[in-house]
Amino acid sequence: QVQVVESGGGLVQAGGSLRLSCTTSGLTFDDYAMGWFRQVSGKEREGVSCIGWNGGSTYYVHSVKGRFTISRDNAKNTVYLQMNSLKPEDTATYYCAAAGYKRYDFCSNSDFTDVGYWGQGTQVTVSS
């Protein structure tokens, strides 16, 4: 049984930082590109950042470039999203996703067909 579990969300003031973590079990982590998506209620889900199986290639949506950093630790089956200089518009539910044998930039696809597994989501709220 595959599990994808996010943690690290919370409430932070604008300009602050949070680090999200996503740990998987039940899959061969090295076989999966990993990514972070976010969704605001009533709006479409958006790919934020994703990373190739070995961490060598990364993708960021334009609005977070220079502020967010994605990384992974294959020994721990975990992917991270370090979020700095947070803005109120970053407020959303953040979802971790696993995409088996897919490109590192799979999260840039708007149809999400490459995603094999989703986490349950973690709430990030940035106050102004």
Side-chain angles (χ1 to χ4, degrees):
Q1 180 182 358
V2 174
Q3 289 189 314
V4 179
V5 181
E6 304 99 333
S7 60
L11 173 64
V12 64
Q13 288 189 329
S17 298
L18 282 175
R19 188 176 82 154
L20 305 182
S21 298
C22 170
T23 301
T24 71
S25 61
L27 55 78
T28 303
F29 192 68
D30 293 9
D31 289 341
Y32 285 76
M34 299 295 297
W36 290 94
F37 295 73
R38 64 186 179 188
Q39 188 169 22
V40 176
S41 180
K43 296 188 177 181
E44 292 188 354
R45 191 167 295 191
E46 171 188 46
V48 175
S49 180
C50 39
I51 188 168
W53 70 274
N54 65 355
S57 298
T58 57
Y59 165 86
Y60 298 94
V61 70
H62 178 74
S63 60
V64 309
K65 282 183 179 178
R67 300 189 298 122
F68 290 11
T69 302
I70 190 171
S71 62
R72 64 190 292 162
D73 185 339
N74 286 0
K76 296 182 178 179
N77 292 352
T78 300
V79 61
Y80 305 96
L81 186 67
Q82 178 67 43
M83 305 186 294
N84 299 329
S85 303
L86 282 160
K87 304 176 181 180
E89 50 263 44
D90 293 317
T91 295
T93 301
Y94 283 71
Y95 297 90
C96 180
Y101 300 103
K102 301 301 181 184
R103 285 174 50 90
Y104 73 94
D105 58 353
F106 76 94
C107 65
S108 65
N109 297 329
S110 60
D111 58 8
F112 312 141
T113 54
D114 287 340
V115 176
Y117 302 98
W118 291 97
Q120 81 288 351
T122 185
Q123 179 66 35
V124 172
T125 303
V126 184
S127 63
S128 57

